[in-house]
């Protein structure tokens, strides 16, 4: 049974420069969303990160809002929060799969995203997972975003060559020296 499992939790990263996170939450189930936010804020504060918060109508809008902020705003990382409870139709599957896929695609595009959108069978499961003094999935999503920010900063200044030429090597066009390769 999963309740008897123990899990290893990485210590929070430490930062030399300030970190700014954006929490994007779908407050459809307001009490659950509020607990997810409280957990995320507490973990961000523990790591010394500043936090902004925006609300969107539902879980499907969370990736769109993060995508816009990733392209147009100045945040280091993003925390996706919300809750999807199984209902009587297949809409649950669509919302779970598409919101998760959207967040995954953002991550693969370079956004530092922690996914704290709960996908549960019933309200009781959501309450336990959202509780900052319980499973604290909001805090876990903030921690995930912070770890990705740390990796992003670690690798930010490393460059690789472009095309077939290593970085720093000169390139030639039509036999003329056009200067150093550009990275």
């Amino acid at each position: 049974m999963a309740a008897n499992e123990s899990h290893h939790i990485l210590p929070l990263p430490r930062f030399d420069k300030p970190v700014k996170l954006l929490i994007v939450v779908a407050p459809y189930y307001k009490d659950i969303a509020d607990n997810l936010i409280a957990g995320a804020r507490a973990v961000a504060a523990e790591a010394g990160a500043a936090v902004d918060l925006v609300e969107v109508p539902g879980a499907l809008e969370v990736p769109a809002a993060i995508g816009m902020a990733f392209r147009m705003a100045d945040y280091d990382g993003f925390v996706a929060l919300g809750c999807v409870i199984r209902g009587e139709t297949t809409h649950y599957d669509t919302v779970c799969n598409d919101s998760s896929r959207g967040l995954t695609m953002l991550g693969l595009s370079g956004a530092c995203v922690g996914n704290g959108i709960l996908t549960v069978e019933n309200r009781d499961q959501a309450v336990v997972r959202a509780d900052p003094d319980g499973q604290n999935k909001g805090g876990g999503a903030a921690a995930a975003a912070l770890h990705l920010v740390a990796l992003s900063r670690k690798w930010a200044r490393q460059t690789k060559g472009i095309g077939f030429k290593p970085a720093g090597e000169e390139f030639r066009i039509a036999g003329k020296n056009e200067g150093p390769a550009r990275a």
Side-chain angles (χ1 to χ4, degrees):
M1 178 183 267
N4 296 327
E5 293 285 333
S6 65
H7 302 98
H8 176 70
I9 298 174
L10 296 173
L12 287 176
R14 300 291 171 213
F15 297 96
D16 295 335
K17 295 181 353 189
V19 174
K20 190 171 179 184
L21 295 178
L22 177 64
I23 296 173
V24 179
V25 63
Y28 191 80
Y29 301 102
K30 183 87 167 98
D31 58 327
I32 293 166
D34 287 345
N35 273 343
L36 290 168
I37 293 166
R41 283 187 184 274
V43 168
E46 185 180 343
V51 172
D52 287 337
L53 174 75
V54 296
E55 294 181 341
V56 295
L60 288 174
E61 290 75 37
V62 171
I66 290 174
M68 286 187 282
F70 179 57
R71 289 186 304 275
M72 301 187 302
D74 190 24
Y75 291 99
D76 298 299
F78 306 92
V79 183
L81 300 178
C83 179
V84 185
I85 299 175
R86 185 180 297 279
E88 298 175 1
T89 69
T90 58
H91 183 65
Y92 169 86
D93 297 314
T94 298
V95 175
C96 292
N97 293 334
D98 290 354
S99 63
S100 179
R101 184 177 301 112
L103 295 173
T104 298
M105 295 303 293
L106 285 164
L108 292 172
S109 297
C112 300
V113 180
N115 184 352
I117 297 178
L118 304 179
T119 56
V120 296
E121 298 294 319
N122 56 58
R123 174 173 267 283
D124 290 340
Q125 290 177 347
V127 169
V128 169
R129 285 161 177 76
D131 185 354
D133 297 319
Q135 290 187 15
N136 193 18
K137 297 298 184 181
L146 290 165
H147 281 285
L148 292 171
V149 168
L151 283 175
S152 173
R153 288 184 176 181
K154 175 181 177 179
W155 293 328
R157 290 183 172 59
Q158 296 181 14
T159 60
K160 297 180 180 180
I162 297 173
F164 297 104
K165 304 260 186 218
E169 192 173 300
E170 292 185 0
F171 65 91
R172 299 184 183 280
I173 298 176
K176 294 184 179 184
N177 184 356
E178 297 293 330
R182 297 187 175 110

